Every structure is written in C-alpha cells, then in structure tokens.
Amino acid sequence: MPLDRPKRALCPRCLRPQSACLCPWIRPTAHQAEVLILQHPMEVQEAKGTARLLNLSLARSRLVTGEQFAPAELQALLTGPFEALEPASAAAPPPQAVLLYPDLPQDRALGWPAPRALTPGELQNPAELRLVVLDGTWRKSRKMLHLNPLLQQLPRLALAQLPASRYRIRKARQLHQLSTLEACCAALAQLQNDAEPFEPLLAAFDGWVAQLLQARPPLPIG
C-alpha cells in the first residue's frame, strides 16, 4: 500500500503552499470603485491564477468562488455590503454593479439582453460603482455569464485601450488578452482616470511572473 504523501503547508493568508507564497508580492493599492471577483471553481487551485493576489492587494474587494449562483445570493453580492468592509449606512444607496466584459454582437444571438451604457453621472463617481470581474478562461467566463442571467443584465465596461499583456506565464490566443489582475487594474485606472496608483501592483505582478518562469523545469534538448 503506497504511503500517503504529507500535505504541503499552506500560507494562512494567501492559501498557497509556502514555496509559492504570494504574500511578498502583495501591494496594498488605493482604488475608488469596489471590486467583486467571481472566480470559476477550476481556477482555485491554478498556480498561475492572479485573482488571489489581486484580492489581497485591493482593500475594497471581495473574492467569491462559484460557477452558478442562486439569484438571491448573486443579487446580494452585486448590491449588498461587503463583509470585509465597514457596513454601509442605512441611507447609503447600493453600489451600481458594472460587469467588466465586452459587449459582443454574438451575444444577441444567444438571447442575452443588450446591456445599457453607464451614464455620465455614474462614470464621474467611480466610488459608487462595484466592478464585477469574472476570473476564468474565456470559455469558463462565457459559461458563467450564460448560467447567471443577472450578470447578463448588468451594464458593461469595456477597456478603451488594451495594453499588451505582461502575463508571460500563460499562453493567450491574442496579444491583448489580459490576466484577471491586469484587466482589473486597467479597468480601475480607466474609471478613475489615473493609472499611477496601480503601477506598484503591476510591477510586483511582473516580479511574480518572472519567479514562476524561473521555477519552470527546463525544456528537454533535442
């Protein structure tokens, strides 16, 4: 009978093995809009995933794992107060949730409603917005959107200028396909018209990616 392998000790903060701890790369980052990260379950154990680093660096963020959510649960996630943040006052209006996702022509063929645009007033007050970010591959995020009609009904935010991805550890189909962390930072910078607060986190992200690349086993010769 084979012996059970001892479980690797996990960091209590980032929940990664000690050898792959994310904590040295966390950069507390000030941001205006709240961030709700909906993570596909298959991304939880993905060593190259960026959602945990993003969540630990953004104070006004929450990370929730699931593929399909009950409507009442999802509505509470979209508009209710975050548990980790101070409770909202009774007079405070709920945040306006906005989905970080492009509006594609093929979505109409699927019967998905055309999302409304954010109003100029909403865009001028990013602190009153809750940015919803789907963490998963393109296929997984499309499935999450398909399974959750409430997400389909949200106004959407598309990135105005797509930077080239710095995520060298994971192959992208196109040059401008970004990791969850990169896309969220770009969206927050776009909403508050200021990219400078996110540069330290992106620089740390570069260091983390370099560390992952260095840890890769060398390719066989010949």
Side-chain angles (χ1 to χ4, degrees), residues 133-147:
V133 182
L134 304 183
D135 178 53
T137 63
W138 180 253
R139 184 184 298 271
K140 293 171 187 171
S141 68
R142 293 289 289 176
K143 187 174 183 182
M144 292 171 72
L145 196 53
H146 173 73
L147 293 174

Side-chain angles (χ1 to χ4, degrees), residues 36-50:
L36 172 64
I37 307 163
L38 299 179
Q39 183 180 55
H40 191 279
M42 293 181 67
E43 290 293 314
V44 174
Q45 302 299 326
E46 175 54 65
K48 301 184 291 292
T50 66

Side-chain angles (χ1 to χ4, degrees), residues 82-114:
F82 283 172
E83 295 176 2
L85 305 179
E86 294 184 4
S89 67
Q96 171 59 61
V98 53
L99 182 66
L100 177 58
Y101 210 88
D103 180 27
L104 303 174
Q106 55 263 42
D107 291 352
R108 303 293 85 74
L110 297 173
W112 296 355

Side-chain angles (χ1 to χ4, degrees), residues 159 161-168 172 174-179 182-183 186 202 205-206:
L159 296 178
Q161 295 181 344
L162 285 172
S165 178
R166 303 150 80 149
Y167 195 35
R168 298 175 292 138
Q174 299 179 16
L175 177 65
H176 295 291
Q177 284 186 333
L178 306 177
S179 67
E182 292 173 294
L202 289 169
F205 172 75
D206 289 341

